Amino acid sequence: MADEQDDRLSRDPAPAVTRSIRLLDLLAQSRSPLTLTELATALGIAKSSTANLCLALEASAMVERVAAGYRLGRRTAELGGAFAAQFQQVREFYDVCDASPVLRHELVQVAMLDGVHALYLARHEGSAGVRLGTPLGSRLPAALSATGRALLMVHDDDWVAERLSDHVPFPKLTDRSPTDLGGLLERLAQARARGWALDEEESYPGIVGLAVPLDAWAPGDPQLALGVGMSAAEADGARVERVAAALADVAASLTNPFSAAARKKN
């Protein structure tokens, strides 16, 4: 394994950059700061080399040093926000949610598909007292979350099977989580039939999520999804239908009318 890593790095045109990215990934995956020793061990390089990487990243605020070690710095949040803001739909998302009589009270989130996960890019903080949203920059298995299923439902079953078959069984996050491809495809068929995806305590206990797909605004933009999470105790049929309809209205208003017209002509 070490020989393979050394060979890969020897062919890498910028090994310091590659190691820096791996270091940032390690910090992103950790729920607590990592020490210099822990980082060096995970990277498979000397502590002195790791210290030099940390110094460079710290100078640019990509990481910060705390008493327990190193953690991500504020610059990573700025870059994440800049990534999301480059898409027209995300820039307009907040105002459109504020204008919705229903969604202005909800915590609404925007996600995109990242491999087999839903990656959360933006959130509208509604007026509801309980905060149930997934932290920005975090990921949930697309097979289990409402936003992930909204992203998958726009594709046919063959595409979904090809993308996810190597990741079966899916992680069982709750007692209701489907772990097989058949269970997911059944839920996606239901989502396509009603026009929105549902997560009934399948990614978080006590939380019901619903989401709709959002067509890309312009060529090259990623497929996005809009989702709302609510307490299962408050997720009666009337509220779920009301929020789902509001999400569909917002998704329609965030679709580029010229792109939609062009698709219809084709």
Side-chain angles (χ1 to χ4, degrees), residues 21-35:
I21 293 172
R22 290 181 59 211
L23 188 152
L24 292 172
D25 282 341
L26 289 169
L27 294 179
Q29 294 164 13
S30 177
R31 294 184 176 273
S32 59
L34 296 177
T35 66

PDB file of all heavy atoms in Angstrom, residues 21-35:
ATOM      1  N   ILE A  21      -5.014  18.819   0.003  1.00  0.00           N
ATOM      2  CA  ILE A  21      -6.419  18.474  -0.186  1.00  0.00           C
ATOM      3  C   ILE A  21      -6.795  17.285   0.681  1.00  0.00           C
ATOM      4  O   ILE A  21      -7.861  17.261   1.314  1.00  0.00           O
ATOM      5  CB  ILE A  21      -6.694  18.178  -1.671  1.00  0.00           C
ATOM      6  CG1 ILE A  21      -6.539  19.463  -2.497  1.00  0.00           C
ATOM      7  CG2 ILE A  21      -8.090  17.587  -1.867  1.00  0.00           C
ATOM      8  CD1 ILE A  21      -6.601  19.250  -3.986  1.00  0.00           C
ATOM      9  N   ARG A  22      -5.910  16.287   0.757  1.00  0.00           N
ATOM     10  CA  ARG A  22      -6.174  15.130   1.616  1.00  0.00           C
ATOM     11  C   ARG A  22      -6.252  15.554   3.075  1.00  0.00           C
ATOM     12  O   ARG A  22      -7.087  15.052   3.841  1.00  0.00           O
ATOM     13  CB  ARG A  22      -5.082  14.076   1.435  1.00  0.00           C
ATOM     14  CG  ARG A  22      -5.121  13.364   0.068  1.00  0.00           C
ATOM     15  CD  ARG A  22      -4.031  12.317  -0.037  1.00  0.00           C
ATOM     16  NE  ARG A  22      -4.150  11.310   1.008  1.00  0.00           N
ATOM     17  CZ  ARG A  22      -3.130  10.662   1.546  1.00  0.00           C
ATOM     18  NH1 ARG A  22      -1.885  10.932   1.166  1.00  0.00           N
ATOM     19  NH2 ARG A  22      -3.326   9.749   2.479  1.00  0.00           N
ATOM     20  N   LEU A  23      -5.400  16.481   3.477  1.00  0.00           N
ATOM     21  CA  LEU A  23      -5.416  16.972   4.852  1.00  0.00           C
ATOM     22  C   LEU A  23      -6.750  17.660   5.155  1.00  0.00           C
ATOM     23  O   LEU A  23      -7.358  17.438   6.212  1.00  0.00           O
ATOM     24  CB  LEU A  23      -4.243  17.925   5.070  1.00  0.00           C
ATOM     25  CG  LEU A  23      -3.973  18.396   6.500  1.00  0.00           C
ATOM     26  CD1 LEU A  23      -2.485  18.712   6.689  1.00  0.00           C
ATOM     27  CD2 LEU A  23      -4.794  19.624   6.855  1.00  0.00           C
ATOM     28  N   LEU A  24      -7.214  18.486   4.224  1.00  0.00           N
ATOM     29  CA  LEU A  24      -8.501  19.167   4.415  1.00  0.00           C
ATOM     30  C   LEU A  24      -9.645  18.158   4.480  1.00  0.00           C
ATOM     31  O   LEU A  24     -10.584  18.314   5.272  1.00  0.00           O
ATOM     32  CB  LEU A  24      -8.734  20.171   3.295  1.00  0.00           C
ATOM     33  CG  LEU A  24      -7.798  21.384   3.282  1.00  0.00           C
ATOM     34  CD1 LEU A  24      -8.003  22.206   2.012  1.00  0.00           C
ATOM     35  CD2 LEU A  24      -8.010  22.259   4.515  1.00  0.00           C
ATOM     36  N   ASP A  25      -9.569  17.116   3.648  1.00  0.00           N
ATOM     37  CA  ASP A  25     -10.592  16.068   3.691  1.00  0.00           C
ATOM     38  C   ASP A  25     -10.611  15.376   5.053  1.00  0.00           C
ATOM     39  O   ASP A  25     -11.680  15.067   5.591  1.00  0.00           O
ATOM     40  CB  ASP A  25     -10.340  15.029   2.589  1.00  0.00           C
ATOM     41  CG  ASP A  25     -10.779  15.514   1.222  1.00  0.00           C
ATOM     42  OD1 ASP A  25     -11.587  16.458   1.158  1.00  0.00           O
ATOM     43  OD2 ASP A  25     -10.307  14.951   0.214  1.00  0.00           O
ATOM     44  N   LEU A  26      -9.441  15.105   5.593  1.00  0.00           N
ATOM     45  CA  LEU A  26      -9.370  14.458   6.906  1.00  0.00           C
ATOM     46  C   LEU A  26     -10.033  15.319   7.978  1.00  0.00           C
ATOM     47  O   LEU A  26     -10.775  14.810   8.824  1.00  0.00           O
ATOM     48  CB  LEU A  26      -7.908  14.199   7.278  1.00  0.00           C
ATOM     49  CG  LEU A  26      -7.178  13.108   6.498  1.00  0.00           C
ATOM     50  CD1 LEU A  26      -5.684  13.151   6.799  1.00  0.00           C
ATOM     51  CD2 LEU A  26      -7.755  11.730   6.832  1.00  0.00           C
ATOM     52  N   LEU A  27      -9.775  16.616   7.943  1.00  0.00           N
ATOM     53  CA  LEU A  27     -10.381  17.519   8.931  1.00  0.00           C
ATOM     54  C   LEU A  27     -11.891  17.616   8.724  1.00  0.00           C
ATOM     55  O   LEU A  27     -12.653  17.714   9.689  1.00  0.00           O
ATOM     56  CB  LEU A  27      -9.741  18.897   8.838  1.00  0.00           C
ATOM     57  CG  LEU A  27      -8.265  18.981   9.237  1.00  0.00           C
ATOM     58  CD1 LEU A  27      -7.753  20.406   9.074  1.00  0.00           C
ATOM     59  CD2 LEU A  27      -8.046  18.501  10.673  1.00  0.00           C
ATOM     60  N   ALA A  28     -12.317  17.591   7.461  1.00  0.00           N
ATOM     61  CA  ALA A  28     -13.743  17.678   7.171  1.00  0.00           C
ATOM     62  C   ALA A  28     -14.490  16.449   7.672  1.00  0.00           C
ATOM     63  O   ALA A  28     -15.650  16.535   8.087  1.00  0.00           O
ATOM     64  CB  ALA A  28     -13.957  17.854   5.670  1.00  0.00           C
ATOM     65  N   GLN A  29     -13.826  15.289   7.633  1.00  0.00           N
ATOM     66  CA  GLN A  29     -14.470  14.048   8.039  1.00  0.00           C
ATOM     67  C   GLN A  29     -14.441  13.838   9.552  1.00  0.00           C
ATOM     68  O   GLN A  29     -15.184  12.998  10.073  1.00  0.00           O
ATOM     69  CB  GLN A  29     -13.788  12.868   7.353  1.00  0.00           C
ATOM     70  CG  GLN A  29     -13.962  12.855   5.838  1.00  0.00           C
ATOM     71  CD  GLN A  29     -12.977  11.935   5.137  1.00  0.00           C
ATOM     72  OE1 GLN A  29     -12.310  11.122   5.780  1.00  0.00           O
ATOM     73  NE2 GLN A  29     -12.870  12.070   3.831  1.00  0.00           N
ATOM     74  N   SER A  30     -13.602  14.596  10.240  1.00  0.00           N
ATOM     75  CA  SER A  30     -13.455  14.414  11.683  1.00  0.00           C
ATOM     76  C   SER A  30     -14.429  15.315  12.444  1.00  0.00           C
ATOM     77  O   SER A  30     -14.656  16.466  12.063  1.00  0.00           O
ATOM     78  CB  SER A  30     -12.023  14.739  12.112  1.00  0.00           C
ATOM     79  OG  SER A  30     -11.889  14.627  13.516  1.00  0.00           O
ATOM     80  N   ARG A  31     -14.997  14.792  13.489  1.00  0.00           N
ATOM     81  CA  ARG A  31     -15.920  15.584  14.314  1.00  0.00           C
ATOM     82  C   ARG A  31     -15.188  16.386  15.387  1.00  0.00           C
ATOM     83  O   ARG A  31     -15.798  17.125  16.137  1.00  0.00           O
ATOM     84  CB  ARG A  31     -16.955  14.667  14.978  1.00  0.00           C
ATOM     85  CG  ARG A  31     -17.889  13.997  13.973  1.00  0.00           C
ATOM     86  CD  ARG A  31     -18.950  13.188  14.678  1.00  0.00           C
ATOM     87  NE  ARG A  31     -19.901  12.617  13.744  1.00  0.00           N
ATOM     88  CZ  ARG A  31     -20.988  13.237  13.298  1.00  0.00           C
ATOM     89  NH1 ARG A  31     -21.260  14.452  13.717  1.00  0.00           N
ATOM     90  NH2 ARG A  31     -21.800  12.648  12.452  1.00  0.00           N
ATOM     91  N   SER A  32     -13.884  16.221  15.468  1.00  0.00           N
ATOM     92  CA  SER A  32     -13.089  16.949  16.460  1.00  0.00           C
ATOM     93  C   SER A  32     -11.738  17.291  15.848  1.00  0.00           C
ATOM     94  O   SER A  32     -11.340  16.695  14.838  1.00  0.00           O
ATOM     95  CB  SER A  32     -12.919  16.111  17.729  1.00  0.00           C
ATOM     96  OG  SER A  32     -12.283  14.882  17.427  1.00  0.00           O
ATOM     97  N   PRO A  33     -11.013  18.242  16.425  1.00  0.00           N
ATOM     98  CA  PRO A  33      -9.695  18.597  15.887  1.00  0.00           C
ATOM     99  C   PRO A  33      -8.752  17.404  15.859  1.00  0.00           C
ATOM    100  O   PRO A  33      -8.864  16.474  16.676  1.00  0.00           O
ATOM    101  CB  PRO A  33      -9.205  19.674  16.857  1.00  0.00           C
ATOM    102  CG  PRO A  33     -10.454  20.262  17.440  1.00  0.00           C
ATOM    103  CD  PRO A  33     -11.400  19.103  17.557  1.00  0.00           C
ATOM    104  N   LEU A  34      -7.828  17.414  14.908  1.00  0.00           N
ATOM    105  CA  LEU A  34      -6.833  16.351  14.786  1.00  0.00           C
ATOM    106  C   LEU A  34      -5.454  16.901  15.119  1.00  0.00           C
ATOM    107  O   LEU A  34      -5.118  18.032  14.740  1.00  0.00           O
ATOM    108  CB  LEU A  34      -6.828  15.780  13.366  1.00  0.00           C
ATOM    109  CG  LEU A  34      -8.111  15.086  12.904  1.00  0.00           C
ATOM    110  CD1 LEU A  34      -7.981  14.648  11.447  1.00  0.00           C
ATOM    111  CD2 LEU A  34      -8.444  13.895  13.794  1.00  0.00           C
ATOM    112  N   THR A  35      -4.670  16.121  15.815  1.00  0.00           N
ATOM    113  CA  THR A  35      -3.326  16.549  16.171  1.00  0.00           C
ATOM    114  C   THR A  35      -2.396  16.405  14.968  1.00  0.00           C
ATOM    115  O   THR A  35      -2.718  15.730  13.981  1.00  0.00           O
ATOM    116  CB  THR A  35      -2.771  15.706  17.326  1.00  0.00           C
ATOM    117  OG1 THR A  35      -2.611  14.348  16.869  1.00  0.00           O
ATOM    118  CG2 THR A  35      -3.710  15.733  18.526  1.00  0.00           C
TER     119      THR A  35
END
